[in-house]
Structure formats: structure tokens, C-alpha cells
Amino acid sequence: MKQMTLREVETSKDISYSKSVLNRLMYLLSRSSVLPILIPLWILFAFLAPSFATLRNARTMLAATAVAAVAAIGETLILITGGIDLSVATVVACSAVLASKVMEAESNTLIGLMVALGIGLGFGLINGFTVAKLGLTPFVLTLGTNLIARGIAFSVSKGYAIRAPLALRQFGRMNWLGLPIIVVITLIMLVIFELLLSKTTWGRYVYFLGANKEAARYVGINYGLVGASVYIIAGVLCGLAGYLSVISLGAAIPGVGDTILLTIIGGVILGGTSLFGGVGSVWRTALGVLLLATLTNGLNLLGFGFYDQLIAQGIVIVLGTGLALRFR
């Protein structure tokens, strides 16, 4: 038998590695219900609106996606456990308004960040321990906290936008490796939580809890602790999303939650996360959010009105949900 040279062995290893990477990529593509819609949509918009396929527009679209994507990570965690949080979007708005109000008085962006995260943490603690310890229905509870957060945001701001400090607006215009800084932060969050879900014991418990609560209790998983943790983490992520919205827009807008609620919930559902728990992925949620942002961006460039966009988004959500059931 002919003995392989060192160079031939190394070449063989390179080919095997390339095949494994390609196989992994093909597996990920096959598990996504979003890409069969997203890729043709990119091609269509690039053909119909030449300005769509530009680097500037891509940056704009990604920046518009970032805030909703961060909040959608938290919603994904909650839905995987079989819960739901209707307050995510208004907690984003509330965190943004209160952080900006403090920064307006103190001119300190770091304090503003701490306030935004603290507000999100506060709502997360209320939602988490009330659901996990008192057994309240998540739908009813978070509907209540949704109204509370919305009321606080509009009460504090009096319905007006609160301008961000100059230093924060300048920070928002920064790029890193050609990407807006808030997009980079969002990508970091996506990587962190994808790894937490797929590589840690806590992540396995989150999936197990959503798949079968009774079995999870039987094997000794602390339902209260794990169940509360996802709401707490989601609250902190909403606080971060609120701060990112201030960076992105240059101001805190009390109604920002109304504009991103559809993108958050729709993105999670389009990403294939089950409303019944046990199934979901952070990276697929990000693709779902990107799909809705792409649709909005492309239709804007083509001159479609707001209500026409709602019809198109509804059609895509219905179609994407059907595909999600097929690919699950």
C-alpha cells in the first residue's frame, strides 16, 4: 500500500475540514425557515430598488434591526420555557426614557447605562418571581407590566423625545470593522446567548423546562429558579435594547416600543421558536428580525405606505410560520 506523504496528509485534512464546515453550513441552512424567504427577498429588492444593494443601506438596515434583535433574544428564552412576555417592547421604551432623563440631568452616559439596565432588571424581577413563585399566568401578568412600563415612559417624558447627550450621539456614529457599533454589540449578545443555550447546563434546563415541566421537576430541575432567570435576563436585555435605541436614534422616544413590538414578536415566531416551549434558537430569531427589517426597508425604498407594509408583514409572518412548522 502506498504511504501518503506529509503534504498529502495535510491536504486530506484540509479537504475533510472544508467538507465538515460545508456540511455544518448546509445543516444550519436546512434548519432555517427564514432563509428560503429572506434570500429571494434580497434578490428581488436589489433588482427593483438599486439603492437597496448598497453598503450604506445594509448598514442602515442592520442598525435598525439591532434594538429589536437584542430584545428578541430575551423573548426567545422566555418562549423556549413555555412562557411569554408582552412587556418587552414597552420596557425597552421605559428604560430608554428614564436613562435619558438621568443623562439629561447628570450628563453621564455610564450612569445612563446603569439606569437602563436597572430598569430592565426591575421589570425582569417582577415578571420572573411573580410567574415562577406565585404562579400567575405570564400572559396576564406581562400585559399588566406592559401597561405600567408604557405609562411610566409617557408620564416621565410627557410624550416628547428626550435628546441624548452629545457624547452618546457621537458614540452611535462610530463603526467597527465597517459595522455600526450597536450592530457589533448585538452580534456579541447573539454569540453569548447562543453559546449559553447550546453549551451550558442552564441552557439544557431551559429547553427541558419548556419541553416538559413535570419531567423537569421530577429530575430535580429547580423550576422556580430557571423559570425566573429567563424573565430576569430578558428584562436586562430590554434595558440594554432601550439604551441602544437612544444611541441609534440620538434620543429616547416614548413610543419606540410601539414600533418594534411587531418586529420582536414576529421575529421570534418567524425564527421557529415554539409558542408551546421546548424549541427555539437565538440565531434563527435574529434571522426572523432581519427578515421583517428587510421587508420594511425594501418597501420603504419602493415607496409603499405604512399600511401596505403591515399587509406585507402579515403575509410574511403567516408564510414564515408555516415554513417554521415544516422545518422544525
Side-chain angles (χ1 to χ4, degrees):
M1 182 180 293
K2 181 181 177 182
Q3 188 173 4
M4 295 179 68
T5 65
L6 179 60
R7 183 175 181 81
E8 288 174 333
V9 171
E10 291 176 347
T11 302
S12 177
K13 288 181 178 179
D14 290 341
I15 294 173
S16 298
Y17 177 75
S18 299
K19 286 182 177 179
S20 66
V21 171
L22 181 59
N23 290 337
R24 178 61 178 168
L25 178 60
M26 294 304 295
Y27 172 77
L28 293 176
L29 290 176
S30 70
R31 295 295 297 169
S32 173
S33 62
V34 176
L35 290 176
I37 303 175
L38 184 59
I39 294 175
L41 203 60
W42 281 342
I43 296 171
L44 177 64
F45 284 141
F47 177 75
L48 296 177
S51 58
F52 177 83
T54 61
L55 186 58
R56 179 178 180 180
N57 185 64
R59 288 173 177 168
T60 300
M61 188 167 59
L62 288 174
T65 306
V67 174
V70 170
I73 293 172
E75 187 70 29
T76 302
L77 300 178
I78 292 171
L79 283 175
I80 289 174
T81 63
I84 192 169
D85 188 352
L86 301 178
S87 67
V88 283
T90 51
V91 172
V92 170
C94 184
S95 301
V97 166
L98 292 178
S100 293
K101 199 68 176 177
V102 170
M103 289 188 289
E104 186 179 52
E106 300 293 334
S107 298
N108 190 315
T109 57
L110 183 58
I111 292 178
L113 174 60
M114 294 299 104
V115 169
L117 296 178
I119 296 298
L121 175 62
F123 277 101
L125 286 168
I126 293 170
N127 289 338
F129 283 104
T130 307
V131 169
K133 296 297 184 182
L134 301 183
L136 265 69
T137 305
F139 184 92
V140 176
L141 169 68
T142 58
L143 180 61
T145 51
N146 167 63
L147 296 174
I148 293 169
R150 180 181 173 83
I152 292 173
F154 278 91
S155 177
V156 171
S157 66
K158 309 301 181 186
Y160 295 100
I162 303 174
R163 192 171 176 80
L166 177 61
L168 198 60
R169 297 199 303 273
Q170 291 175 335
F171 179 73
R173 289 192 288 268
M174 290 176 57
N175 291 320
W176 191 68
L177 296 178
L179 294 173
I181 193 68
I182 65 169
V183 175
V184 175
I185 295 170
T186 301
L187 290 174
I188 291 171
M189 292 296 105
L190 288 169
V191 170
I192 289 173
F193 282 95
E194 185 65 33
L195 290 175
L196 284 174
L197 279 175
S198 62
K199 302 296 183 182
T200 67
T201 301
W202 174 81
R204 290 193 292 273
Y205 286 174
V206 168
Y207 282 108
F208 199 178
L209 193 63
N212 193 324
K213 287 183 175 60
E214 294 304 318
R217 289 192 180 98
Y218 182 77
V219 299
I221 295 175
N222 190 326
Y223 168 78
L225 184 60
V226 177
S229 70
V230 294
Y231 284 94
I232 294 169
I233 292 171
V236 174
L237 286 170
C238 286
L240 176 60
Y243 193 75
L244 292 179
S245 76
V246 178
I247 295 175
S248 175
L249 301 172
I253 300 175
V256 70
D258 299 333
T259 63
I260 65 172
L261 178 60
L262 173 64
T263 307
I264 294 172
I265 303 294
V268 175
I269 294 172
L270 283 172
T273 300
S274 173
L275 292 172
F276 302 102
V279 176
S281 166
V282 166
W283 75 268
R284 290 202 297 267
T285 287
L287 287 177
V289 173
L290 181 59
L291 172 59
L292 292 176
T294 297
L295 193 62
T296 299
N297 179 269
L299 293 176
N300 275 331
L301 292 176
L302 293 174
F304 282 82
F306 175 72
Y307 297 108
D308 294 327
Q309 293 178 29
L310 290 181
I311 294 171
Q313 288 173 343
I315 293 171
V316 167
I317 288 175
V318 171
L319 179 61
T321 303
L323 284 174
L325 293 174
R326 167 66 179 81
F327 281 85
R328 186 170 299 162

